Amino acid sequence: MNAKRRPILAGNWKMNMTVTQARELASKLIPLVSSVKDRDIVLGPPFTALSAVAETIKGTNISLSAQNLHWEDKGAFTGEISADMLLDSGCKYVIIGHSERRQYFGETDETVNKKVKQALKKGLLPILCVGETLADREAGKLNETINRQVNGGLKDISTEDMKKIVIAYEPVWAIGTGKTATPDQANEVHALIRQKVKALYSADIAEGLRIQYGGSVTPENVSTLMAMPDIDGALVGGASLKPESFAALVNFK
Ligand code: 13P
């Protein structure tokens, strides 16, 4: 954490929660985090529950994120969701390039970049996900992979737009596995990303950039992660599905 950057705690609900369950989760969370003023709180329900959660959190200190979008404005793209639809459903953020989308749905740095551009064009704030697989790490390709994903995802993004982006570092081997990167391992990659953004933009932009860590974050390990100088937040899967555990995460000391 760094006093200059406002922490951002986001829950990625992935393919979980019916509309009824989503409403209940959000309703229970609201009073548990209502006194939080110095951090951003974001919920990422599945598309079908966005409107219901938007209604539930209206007027609170919680914001809404989608988990994906399409890069075109509208048209014959069966099964896809546009930026306008997300804005109309109450979204402020959109998660882009999550490793599960890269791994199972063929997303590439090129499609990720198109989505980042579309989100920015329409006024959604992108949470751009990057992260290496265990095979990348073991083959000594950590830096190469992160560089490729950061370069690719941010291709042709202006300095003004870069100020609106959050980057989430999620080592694929730490997602849903219970294996968290150690605070030092995570911070090392966060610092690398910040360095890269400094080279691409400027020291000011890099210093202002918020970088979340994701991968088996829990109420137990969040404080040691957030104590690291380059870790500015968390993108949380499993532990965001229960109001008590996500609230405990948000309220980290
Ligand atoms: P887990 O917290 O379940 O490991 O998931 C992390 C993640 O992928 C968040 O986007």
Side-chain angles (χ1 to χ4, degrees):
M1 236 167 46
N2 174 311
K4 279 188 278 181
R5 297 186 289 268
R6 187 176 162 89
I8 175 166
L9 290 305
N12 173 9
W13 295 1
K14 307 190 179 183
M15 197 173 74
N16 295 291
M17 299 289 146
T18 61
V19 173
T20 309
Q21 292 168 334
R23 243 191 225 115
E24 192 183 326
L25 174 49
S27 312
K28 286 190 174 159
L29 181 70
I30 293 168
L32 303 178
V33 299
S34 59
S35 59
V36 174
K37 295 202 168 55
D38 56 351
R39 6 193 121 157
D40 290 333
I41 309 167
V42 183
L43 298 182
F47 290 135
T48 44
L50 286 174
S51 297
V53 173
E55 246 169 56
T56 310
I57 62 176
K58 198 167 179 194
T60 71
N61 55 342
I62 304 174
S63 311
L64 193 66
S65 177
Q67 301 174 16
N68 185 24
L69 85 167
H70 194 263
W71 59 82
E72 293 290 345
D73 286 352
K74 61 176 181 172
F77 301 100
T78 302
E80 292 294 324
I81 301 284
S82 74
D84 285 337
M85 294 169 189
L86 299 184
L87 288 164
D88 194 41
S89 303
C91 289
K92 178 172 177 184
Y93 295 89
V94 56
I95 297 169
I96 298 176
H98 191 279
S99 63
E100 286 149 17
R101 298 222 47 92
R102 295 179 191 255
Q103 193 176 352
Y104 305 128
F105 303 101
E107 293 208 8
T108 62
D109 290 323
E110 198 188 346
T111 57
V112 166
N113 179 243
K114 285 190 194 178
K115 292 180 180 199
V116 171
K117 285 182 182 153
Q118 178 69 357
L120 290 164
K121 182 180 111 181
K122 293 289 186 172
L124 284 161
L125 305 178
I127 298 176
L128 167 63
C129 302
V130 300
E132 82 288 2
T133 61
L134 190 59
D136 291 331
R137 188 171 266 264
E138 286 178 348
K141 290 187 176 161
L142 169 64
N143 290 21
E144 185 187 320
T145 305
I146 299 296
N147 276 338
R148 197 194 63 239
Q149 292 177 348
V150 170
N151 272 331
L154 298 179
K155 189 164 176 283
D156 301 327
I157 301 298
S158 71
T159 303
E160 258 334 283
D161 275 343
M162 188 59 213
K163 293 180 187 162
K164 300 171 192 151
I165 295 178
V166 172
I167 293 184
Y169 167 58
E170 300 202 312
V172 178
W173 49 271
I175 295 177
T177 57
K179 280 189 211 158
T180 328
T182 64
D184 283 327
Q185 273 177 325
N187 197 71
E188 189 188 335
V189 183
H190 283 228
L192 177 77
I193 294 169
R194 206 177 296 288
Q195 207 46 47
K196 183 81 209 157
V197 169
K198 183 179 171 187
L200 288 171
Y201 293 88
S202 67
D204 267 7
I205 293 286
E207 282 306 304
L209 171 70
R210 294 189 294 176
I211 307 176
Q212 298 175 301
Y213 170 77
S216 300
V217 180
T218 63
E220 290 70 40
N221 62 27
V222 66
S223 300
T224 46
L225 288 161
M226 290 302 298
M228 302 306 288
D230 285 294
I231 300 185
D232 310 309
L235 182 56
V236 186
S240 72
L241 297 175
K242 294 220 169 71
E244 301 75 19
S245 64
F246 190 59
L249 268 158
V250 167
N251 288 306
F252 78 89
K253 295 228 168 49

